[in-house]
Amino acid sequence: MQRTKVVDVLTGQDKGKEICVKGWVRTKRGNKNVAFIALNDGSSFHSVQLVADLAKFDEDTLRKVTTGACISATGLVVESQGSGQSVEMQMTSIEVLGEADAETYPLQKKGHSLEFLREIAHLRFRTNTFGAVFRIRHAMAFGIHKFFNDRGFFYIHSPIITGSDAEGAGAMFRVTTLDPVNPPKTETGTVDFKEDFFGGPTNLTVSGQLEAELAAMALGQVYTFGPTFRAENSNTSRHLAEFWMIEPEVAFNEIKENMDLAEDLLQYLVQYALDNCKDDLEFLNQQYDKELLDRLRFVVANKFERLNYGEAVEILKGSGVKFEFPVDWGTDLSSEHERWLVEKHFQKPVILTNYPKEIKAFYMKQNDDGKTVRAMDVLFPGIGEIIGGSQREENYDKLLNRMHEMHIPEEELYWYLDTRKFGTCPHAGFGLGFERLILFVTGMANIRDVIPFPRTPQNAAF
Ligand code: 4AD
Ligand code: MG
């Protein structure tokens, strides 16, 4: 018999029919006469209840039906006697596909800490929490493609291995096939990267932006959505060494349109989650964060606050709050400042623009004041920076000057400079950190809990 997914069974569509379900046992309880098995197959947050009349089943088989075991069961879908579900299945046959020894299966009991579950990341998919998180993560990835596709953007695959290490977004991971113990040397004693796989030093990308800009200069509106890598030693609940980033880039957009696009995207995605991930969000709201749903609805319903970096600094300085890191014009804001602005002062998402050029990347459009660039950061409650972006410097001479000032070798980025040489135009884009988005939408507190296999300093186990 063909398998019916639990999500479909629970709609009641098969009431009165004989069906087959397959999945993993969440719990088994009962009495002398009857067993109740909660079966989950991942298709829904909810499990289906299987009711087994003990007299009709072989004792040995039922003994193997323990938490974590995988079974295939057939039976009749009937109106549920108990509360909490509308239908259940009266089991007529069962096959144990995979046993899970009750003595050694680590998820025997409920209520494990998230820290413990991180240590068994290979099994944590099977918990309510991680089922919910990863279904939501999928929905957000799908929603992102839908948002851009519906607006006529083209999805560009930027390279993961790159030869340029000039963007300055963060420390890079080297990619090499050279023998680390005994690498080939040049006459002067340095490592001879000419002998390396690509004939020169290469790294894992920190961002697909520069390549996206090349594509935007021809296709108009593009976005990337791929893994990015940063070798910073920041062991925080907001940083990963391998994370996914969405980077739209749009020809003819200036900073105002860039902010509008960022705000539209974030509100669309949060609404998408509210519309498509109801059961999972309700569980997370109940289990981890009673204000989650209210916060999501609030973000959709209210315009983001927009102000200059300089104004934000004045507000922070006048706040009377004693921050760990003092703030003054010219300093980079840290997450305590960002979160105070969002959570305490404005109590809504904030977009800061026009940052000092010294603390931002070389490619940002320079303002006429000679001091600031047309950067924008979107700051979110509980997260801090969720998006970083800017209008780009489209003037060849100004861009080249800035590269010289920042000691960025122009020969390495000749291809980037070419866009400013041939048919340049105003354009803008930004990067949305996918895991930071998932943190916000799920209400989880640690970024290690919203990516299946987190890579952080000292940790890249399987
Ligand atoms: O602000 P960032 O460094 O911007 C860029 O990389 C630009 N090239 C983006 C662009 O304009 N196309 O990173 C963008 C976002 C941050 O706002 C944050 O959400 C996320 O990426 N991010 C990280 N997420 C997890 N772990 C890390 N180590 C992250 N670093 C940045
Ligand atoms: Mg940033």
Side-chain angles (χ1 to χ4, degrees):
M1 199 187 290
Q2 254 213 336
R3 169 172 95 98
T4 305
K5 283 188 289 175
V6 169
V7 68
D8 296 328
V9 179
L10 294 176
T11 63
Q13 63 177 30
D14 295 318
K15 215 183 284 178
K17 285 193 204 140
E18 178 97 357
I19 60 158
C20 167
V21 289
K22 298 181 185 185
W24 295 268
V25 174
R26 280 294 166 80
T27 56
K28 186 178 77 174
R29 54 192 180 80
N31 53 39
K32 288 199 306 290
N33 306 317
V34 61
F36 299 102
I37 300 163
L39 192 74
N40 191 285
D41 68 358
S43 61
S44 160
F45 177 80
H46 298 290
S47 300
V48 64
Q49 172 156 284
L50 313 181
V51 186
D53 182 350
L54 295 191
K56 295 185 185 148
F57 289 91
D58 168 46
E59 211 176 302
D60 260 6
T61 308
L62 280 188
R63 201 171 312 128
K64 292 177 188 159
V65 181
T66 55
T67 298
C70 185
I71 63 168
S72 169
T74 58
L76 188 70
V77 181
V78 297
E79 197 120 352
S80 178
Q81 316 294 312
S83 61
Q85 66 265 327
S86 65
V87 291
E88 60 190 25
M89 193 176 101
Q90 275 170 359
M91 206 160 79
T92 50
S93 78
I94 183 168
E95 184 188 348
V96 178
L97 301 176
E99 292 177 47
D101 177 33
E103 293 296 310
T104 53
Y105 181 56
L107 297 173
Q108 198 55 237
K109 293 205 173 58
K110 282 189 171 177
H112 290 297
S113 72
L114 293 169
E115 289 79 10
F116 171 75
L117 292 173
R118 246 171 255 152
E119 284 165 22
I120 51 162
H122 58 300
L123 292 172
R124 68 177 179 171
F125 287 110
R126 297 191 189 189
T127 59
N128 280 336
T129 299
F130 287 96
V133 166
F134 293 126
R135 274 187 298 271
I136 293 171
R137 188 178 162 110
H138 160 78
M140 290 293 87
F142 191 82
I144 284 161
H145 286 304
K146 180 160 170 50
F147 175 90
F148 285 118
N149 185 62
D150 288 352
R151 283 159 186 73
F153 282 67
F154 300 105
Y155 178 28
I156 296 295
H157 297 97
S158 48
I160 290 171
I161 299 174
T162 104
S164 82
D165 73 352
E167 204 208 336
M172 311 258 263
F173 289 102
R174 173 62 41 91
V175 175
T176 180
T177 53
L178 296 180
D179 178 358
V181 182
N182 193 14
K185 296 280 174 64
T186 62
E187 276 165 17
T188 58
T190 55
V191 175
D192 186 4
F193 285 105
K194 283 210 189 68
E195 300 277 312
D196 205 348
F197 189 92
F198 296 106
T202 49
N203 302 284
L204 294 178
T205 187
V206 294
S207 155
Q209 175 199 325
L210 302 193
E211 292 86 353
E213 283 188 54
L214 310 181
M217 295 286 106
L219 295 162
Q221 320 185 93
V222 302
Y223 69 107
T224 71
F225 185 175
T228 48
F229 308 85
R230 298 193 185 176
E232 286 139 304
N233 202 359
S234 22
N235 228 329
T236 78
S237 59
R238 304 277 175 275
H239 289 87
L240 290 163
E242 175 181 295
F243 64 99
W244 288 65
M245 189 160 39
I246 298 95
E247 296 185 272
E249 194 68 37
V250 185
F252 317 116
N253 265 11
E254 303 201 10
I255 190 71
K256 157 84 169 56
E257 291 81 32
N258 206 35
M259 289 193 270
D260 292 344
L261 182 66
E263 187 166 338
D264 284 351
L265 173 64
L266 288 167
Q267 288 186 327
Y268 175 92
L269 292 172
V270 173
Q271 186 63 52
Y272 192 89
L274 287 167
D275 292 342
N276 294 280
C277 308
K278 230 166 148 283
D279 292 349
D280 291 321
L281 285 176
E282 267 162 21
F283 166 76
L284 294 170
N285 189 80
Q286 158 100 8
Q287 188 79 8
Y288 291 101
D289 181 350
K290 298 274 191 293
E291 283 154 24
L292 174 62
L293 285 169
D294 286 343
R295 202 160 54 240
L296 297 182
R297 292 191 193 108
F298 180 86
V299 162
V300 173
N302 291 279
K303 294 228 76 67
F304 299 180
E305 190 73 32
R306 298 180 183 191
L307 71 160
N308 285 323
Y309 162 91
E311 295 170 291
V313 167
E314 287 311 311
I315 292 171
L316 286 163
K317 282 168 70 180
S319 69
V321 179
K322 221 168 148 33
F323 293 109
E324 189 186 342
F325 299 102
V327 56
D328 207 348
W329 203 96
T331 53
D332 210 353
L333 302 183
S334 54
S335 92
E336 56 167 344
H337 307 127
E338 295 172 340
R339 291 185 58 179
W340 182 85
L341 285 169
V342 170
E343 291 160 27
K344 297 282 188 305
H345 189 76
F346 289 110
Q347 303 191 341
K348 55 156 92 164
V350 171
I351 310 182
L352 292 187
T353 44
N354 298 318
Y355 281 72
K357 65 177 184 192
E358 264 69 37
I359 58 172
K360 290 293 182 186
F362 73 94
Y363 50 69
M364 296 192 179
K365 183 167 176 67
Q366 296 158 40
N367 284 321
D368 292 339
D369 62 10
K371 293 193 319 196
T372 59
V373 287
R374 234 164 271 180
M376 65 168 219
D377 278 7
V378 182
L379 315 179
F380 252 42
I383 307 291
E385 181 189 335
I386 193 166
I387 279 180
S390 73
Q391 187 173 336
R392 318 305 188 189
E393 182 54 77
E394 82 272 20
N395 180 286
Y396 180 86
D397 294 322
K398 285 188 185 166
L399 182 62
L400 190 60
N401 266 338
R402 190 70 191 133
M403 285 169 65
H404 289 158
E405 281 170 15
M406 294 176 78
H407 307 293
I408 293 166
E410 63 176 284
E411 49 305 341
E412 265 185 35
L413 285 181
Y414 75 91
W415 47 275
Y416 185 70
L417 283 161
D418 265 4
T419 53
R420 276 61 172 176
K421 219 191 264 176
F422 307 119
T424 192
C425 73
H427 61 288
F430 58 81
L432 165 62
F434 189 51
E435 286 74 19
R436 297 216 181 152
L437 170 75
I438 308 301
L439 272 179
F440 180 73
V441 171
T442 59
M444 300 300 282
N446 194 311
I447 201 161
R448 292 166 181 78
D449 296 331
V450 297
I451 185 165
F453 303 102
R455 271 81 183 91
T456 50
Q458 301 298 313
N459 170 47
F462 57 84

